[in-house]
Amino acid sequence: MNESNQRPGQNKYRPFILAAVMLAMFVGAIEATIVSTAMPAITADLGGFQLYSWVFSSYLLMSTVTVLLYGKLSDLFGRKPVLTLGMSLFLVGSILCGFAESMEWLIAFRFIQGLGAGAVMPIASTIVGDIYSKEERAKIQGYLSSVWGISAVMGPAIGGLLVETIGWQYVFWINIPLGVLSLTVLWMFLKEDVEKNTSPIDYKGAALLSVALTVLLYLLVEGGISIPWLSSTALIMIIAAGLLLYLFVRHELKAPDPMMPFSIWKNRAIFIANIVSLTTGVLLIGISSYLPAFVTGVMEESASIAGFTLTAMSIGWPIAATVAGRLLIKIGYYKTSLLGGISLIAGTLLFVLMEPGYGPVWPAVSSFFVGVGMGLTTTSFIVSIQSAVPWKLRGAATAANMFMRNLGSTVGVALLGGILNASIRSSFEDSKNTEVQSLGVDAVNSLLEAEQRSRLEPDVLEQLQSAMTSGLNIVYFIVFAFALISLFFILFLPRKE
């Protein structure tokens, strides 16, 4: 369906469809920050800090791999049935996550959650691209980006409240009624005229990409921990991942109906938007995944305060996304994206300069600037991409952009998690305290809960917090580097709209 062949009467239902889409995006967006806020409590309960990054990596891996496949399926069979499939899998995974009794089981259930999550965000955005005209999309996509931000505002607050009252399990179970309501409204009001399409589904491409990312992800998470970087195992995994990615690209270029239509990358604006989405995905996950652990474990604040520091990012995001809709019309994609890139630089630089004694206001301000940068850039990119392609490619093009951001987050959480674990282990080994020298990375579990912290000897507590601070300083420096790379690529966006 496009603007010229919508069903009669479709326009009068657009507010209901938009509400259902925004609710679906709310469910997908809240998952990111609400789980991050609850992770210190989850880790304190289930143990396994060394597996901390896998809770995010497992979810991101599956959502990254499937986002392209869902995008193509939506172009073939329509948005509604594919979104229903994805949301259903996401909700089943959410239910199971709440029943997890160990970190290993939680990671397994997060795979199921991620398997469905790959459909939610890209198809929801694509539906809006279908039912609104090119002139209307800038304003509406600003609303959608603000939903991401608003839900993320509520995520940390709700997450902290649930953790401190009825338990961390409810950060997963809260998805159920919201997801069901979204699907109900969508099925009531969204009518699609989908042309029958017998094009083959690119399962081979999906398989090659899945295996390549799994190998790469495992190496990034376990590199320097269970797999020495300078080992034959690491070398074999790097070669295998590289070969599989090469085969994936070669296959996609030859496939009659590829999962990743590389032809659209010839458009300069789309190419740069996708590359910047990759780099901002790294910096976004680097902040949202580990900031609550820093605020809770090193600054010794509550889960609610830790959530507040992420909430500030989410306040900046919707404000900037709403403003971006107007800026796109007045000053264009280039200048709007450039303002976003500068804000990302400011926010990540503040994280680099952060010290434990600064208190939670400093990371909150830093997060706010990052949120502003994300709101400006993501809105600009989605509107420009959807305006550059026809209906039959809109699902795949939107999914490709979100794939790149998810890929950045997937690789980022694995890479940064591996670096953090290696840094903490190195700090323990260099300690003059023999008790600390014998500790493993999981020892920092005791920092994430006030009662456990109170049982630690003062010297041990100080060295554990110092190890976490040193590791996260490295993480934030890398995040700053990716913000610089993002701004560099934004400078090459076309200046004429």
Side-chain angles (χ1 to χ4, degrees):
M1 180 173 62
N2 55 32
E3 291 83 14
S4 63
N5 66 351
Q6 293 179 21
R7 274 180 171 246
Q10 182 75 71
N11 282 349
K12 71 178 182 179
Y13 295 126
R14 290 197 306 180
F16 299 102
I17 299 169
L18 179 61
V21 165
M22 292 171 73
L23 188 56
M25 294 190 75
F26 180 92
V27 173
I30 201 173
E31 186 64 19
T33 52
I34 198 170
V35 174
S36 296
T37 304
M39 274 307 295
I42 294 173
T43 307
D45 185 21
L46 301 182
F49 184 85
Q50 188 165 327
L51 298 174
Y52 191 102
S53 61
W54 271 111
V55 175
F56 300 98
S57 297
S58 56
Y59 177 86
L60 289 168
L61 173 63
M62 292 310 299
S63 61
T64 300
V65 169
T66 56
V67 68
L68 292 175
L69 184 59
Y70 283 129
K72 176 55 66 177
L73 288 174
S74 76
D75 287 338
L76 296 177
F77 304 111
R79 321 302 187 198
K80 188 164 62 175
V82 178
L83 180 57
T84 301
L85 172 63
M87 181 66 81
S88 299
L89 288 170
F90 177 82
L91 296 180
V92 169
S94 298
I95 294 171
L96 294 174
C97 283
F99 288 110
E101 296 183 351
S102 69
M103 192 68 89
E104 289 79 6
W105 276 113
L106 178 61
I107 292 168
F109 296 146
R110 288 280 282 176
F111 270 105
I112 299 174
Q113 238 193 339
L115 183 62
V120 177
M121 300 301 286
I123 296 181
S125 293
T126 305
I127 289 173
V128 170
D130 292 342
I131 65 175
Y132 287 95
S133 68
K134 179 179 178 180
E135 291 73 23
E136 294 170 311
R137 284 180 204 141
K139 182 178 180 180
I140 299 300
Q141 288 293 347
Y143 290 160
L144 293 188
S145 293
S146 69
V147 168
W148 176 278
I150 291 169
S151 58
V153 167
M154 299 178 66
I158 294 173
L161 180 64
L162 293 176
V163 166
E164 293 179 0
T165 54
I166 55 179
W168 60 262
Q169 293 85 353
Y170 287 86
V171 304
F172 297 104
W173 293 341
I174 196 174
N175 297 324
I176 312 306
L178 302 178
V180 171
L181 177 60
S182 172
L183 288 180
T184 301
V185 174
L186 201 65
W187 275 94
M188 288 175 62
F189 297 107
L190 178 61
K191 310 299 180 184
E192 296 182 293
D193 289 324
V194 182
E195 296 180 7
K196 188 175 181 180
N197 196 321
T198 57
S199 301
I201 299 172
D202 187 18
Y203 291 116
K204 182 178 179 180
L208 286 170
L209 183 63
S210 299
V211 178
L213 291 180
T214 300
V215 173
L216 179 62
L217 184 69
Y218 189 83
L219 176 62
L220 290 174
V221 173
E222 297 299 326
I225 306 296
S226 63
I227 302 175
W229 285 111
L230 300 178
S231 66
S232 57
T233 302
L235 179 61
I236 291 171
M237 294 180 75
I238 291 172
I239 294 173
L243 178 60
L244 288 165
L245 287 173
Y246 166 75
L247 292 174
F248 167 73
V249 173
R250 193 174 78 166
H251 169 74
E252 294 298 287
L253 291 173
K254 294 181 179 180
D257 201 6
M259 183 174 67
M260 169 71 87
F262 282 108
S263 59
I264 64 175
W265 288 59
K266 294 178 182 178
N267 182 301
R268 182 174 164 189
I270 291 178
F271 174 79
I272 293 176
N274 287 345
I275 294 300
V276 176
S277 292
L278 176 75
T279 56
T280 54
V282 175
L283 71 88
L284 183 63
I285 200 68
I287 294 168
S288 61
S289 295
Y290 299 110
L291 182 58
F294 179 81
V295 175
T296 303
V298 179
M299 292 185 172
E300 299 188 9
E301 301 287 352
S302 67
S304 297
I305 297 298
F308 159 74
T309 60
L310 280 182
T311 298
M313 179 193 296
S314 309
I315 293 173
W317 193 317
I319 292 173
T322 303
V323 172
R326 299 176 182 177
L327 290 178
L328 287 171
I329 298 172
K330 291 184 178 180
I331 63 177
Y333 300 128
Y334 175 79
K335 291 181 180 178
T336 304
S337 301
L338 184 62
L339 289 174
I342 293 171
S343 186
L344 290 173
I345 293 289
T348 53
L349 179 60
L350 288 173
F351 276 114
V352 171
L353 300 175
M354 181 172 63
E355 297 288 344
Y358 289 175
V361 174
W362 185 282
V365 173
S366 309
S367 295
F368 178 82
F369 279 104
V370 172
V372 169
M374 292 303 299
L376 292 173
T377 56
T378 54
T379 305
S380 300
F381 295 157
I382 288 296
V383 173
S384 62
I385 288 171
Q386 292 188 345
S387 299
V389 296
W391 186 94
K392 65 180 181 180
L393 287 177
R394 194 173 294 146
T398 304
N401 180 255
M402 294 195 177
F403 165 80
M404 293 301 288
R405 191 200 301 174
N406 286 354
L407 179 62
S409 295
T410 304
V411 173
V413 74
L415 175 64
L416 298 175
I419 291 172
L420 177 60
N421 286 343
S423 176
I424 291 173
R425 175 172 291 183
S426 177
S427 295
F428 289 167
E429 292 173 351
D430 294 340
S431 174
K432 296 180 180 180
N433 187 317
T434 54
E435 181 182 350
V436 174
Q437 289 176 356
S438 63
L439 297 176
V441 174
D442 285 345
V444 297
N445 289 338
S446 56
L447 293 178
L448 305 179
E449 205 273 324
E451 185 177 345
Q452 294 185 40
R453 282 196 305 269
S454 65
R455 298 182 190 142
L456 295 172
E457 294 292 331
D459 183 52
V460 174
L461 173 62
E462 180 182 353
Q463 294 196 45
L464 288 179
Q465 291 178 329
S466 176
M468 180 175 279
T469 301
S470 298
L472 287 173
N473 282 341
I474 297 173
V475 167
Y476 291 137
F477 183 82
I478 296 172
V479 163
F480 175 66
F482 274 95
L484 289 174
I485 295 170
S486 300
L487 181 61
F488 172 78
F489 278 104
I490 287 173
L491 293 174
F492 290 94
L493 278 171
R495 302 197 179 197
K496 292 184 179 181
E497 305 303 331

